[in-house]
Amino acid sequence: GAGVSQSPSNKVTEKGKDVELRCDPISGHTALYWYRQRLGQGLEFLIYFQGNSAPDKSGLPSDRFSAERTGESVSTLTIQRTQQEDSAVYLCASSLVLGSEQYFGPGTRLTVT
Amino acid sequence: GESVGLHLPTLSVQEGDNSIINCAYSNSASDYFIWYKQESGKGPQFIIDIRSNMDKRQGQRVTVLLNKTVKHLSLQIAATQPGDSAVYFCAENMVREGMRFGAGTRLTVKP
């Protein structure tokens, strides 16, 4: 596609449920990043993927968070046993190579009730 | 610890005036900075970047200034328009950690 797409755009879930967020990067981009943005705050880095290398998980806030990427395509961010503190906008970005300009998707707004 | 932050959380300007948004960083080893614009309900959009071997870089109506001595970054918007109303983030490219963003400055342009 022309840009980074994310789905769903909005997700409301009950505390304790698992959620899966999807990101489709720009075709040909080898690097993919996940960020979290709480209301009124800046972006918090979660994880990045570069090609077929093992992902850097240093930013994941807890072991309830995990992410996968198949080759250089779609990525999913999974949050298990969601908590109210997980409520935020989850943004995905991709770049041609690691460290080059990142292009962001519109985000998924997650609300945990 | 190291951080990237913004001096002012809000800025209000008259249409047609110039806007200056400031950013302080504390990691003296940082060599690449980016300004992003984020409109309500949308993801951040790249505006302009600058590497540490430069002091100034100009784009269309925007200029970024880098002062490495005091670790300060600024974004200047000329002839500010209503469409410029958004939250502006400065970001420090950590490469292996993605980008480290500040809290953002909300720019409001009054007609």
Side-chain angles (χ1 to χ4, degrees):
Chain A
V4 178
S5 61
Q6 292 184 246
S7 62
S9 56
N10 282 284
K11 177 70 176 179
V12 180
T13 190
E14 293 180 352
K15 178 181 175 181
K17 300 284 188 182
D18 297 351
V19 295
E20 187 174 279
L21 313 180
R22 177 188 170 107
C23 172
D24 285 85
I26 293 173
S27 179
H29 280 194
T30 64
L32 185 148
Y33 314 78
W34 282 99
Y35 297 88
R36 177 170 69 179
Q37 185 175 31
R38 291 199 168 102
L39 185 64
Q41 298 186 20
L43 278 72
E44 175 188 359
F45 166 76
L46 298 178
I47 188 171
Y48 83 84
F49 296 86
Q50 166 60 37
N52 294 318
S53 302
D56 181 337
K57 303 179 180 180
S58 60
L60 293 178
S62 78
D63 59 7
R64 296 185 295 104
F65 287 72
S66 62
E68 293 183 346
R69 187 183 187 194
T70 305
E72 294 185 353
S73 60
V74 173
S75 176
T76 55
L77 176 69
T78 301
I79 308 173
Q80 295 178 309
R81 305 181 301 282
T82 52
Q83 304 294 314
Q84 289 186 330
E85 67 203 41
D86 299 333
S87 295
V89 174
Y90 289 83
L91 287 155
C92 173
S94 70
S95 63
L96 193 60
V97 295
L98 188 66
S100 64
E101 180 186 340
Q102 297 183 21
Y103 296 82
F104 283 81
T108 292
R109 181 176 297 279
L110 175 66
T111 303
V112 182
T113 60
Chain B
E2 301 288 359
S3 65
V4 175
L6 296 175
H7 290 310
L8 298 172
T10 61
L11 177 65
S12 182
V13 300
Q14 288 293 138
E15 181 178 359
D17 287 352
N18 296 333
S19 302
I20 299 176
I21 302 172
N22 296 305
C23 177
Y25 66 96
S26 57
N27 185 351
S28 57
S30 298
D31 62 357
Y32 181 49
F33 303 89
I34 305 169
W35 279 101
Y36 282 86
K37 171 185 180 183
Q38 187 173 24
E39 296 174 285
S40 181
K42 298 182 180 179
Q45 178 184 10
F46 174 93
I47 302 175
I48 191 168
D49 60 359
I50 188 168
R51 295 198 177 275
S52 60
N53 61 352
M54 302 173 68
D55 297 323
K56 178 180 179 179
R57 190 165 187 217
Q58 287 184 294
Q60 188 174 20
R61 284 201 306 119
V62 295
T63 301
V64 55
L65 299 178
L66 176 63
N67 186 329
K68 294 180 287 294
T69 302
V70 296
K71 289 180 282 189
H72 183 268
L73 194 70
S74 69
L75 176 71
Q76 300 178 1
I77 305 173
T80 315
Q81 302 169 0
D84 294 328
S85 293
V87 176
Y88 290 80
F89 296 94
C90 70
E92 176 181 10
N93 194 349
M94 306 296 288
V95 183
R96 292 191 177 279
E97 299 173 6
M99 283 177 287
R100 185 181 295 170
F101 287 75
T105 293
R106 181 173 298 282
L107 174 66
T108 301
V109 181
K110 296 179 289 186

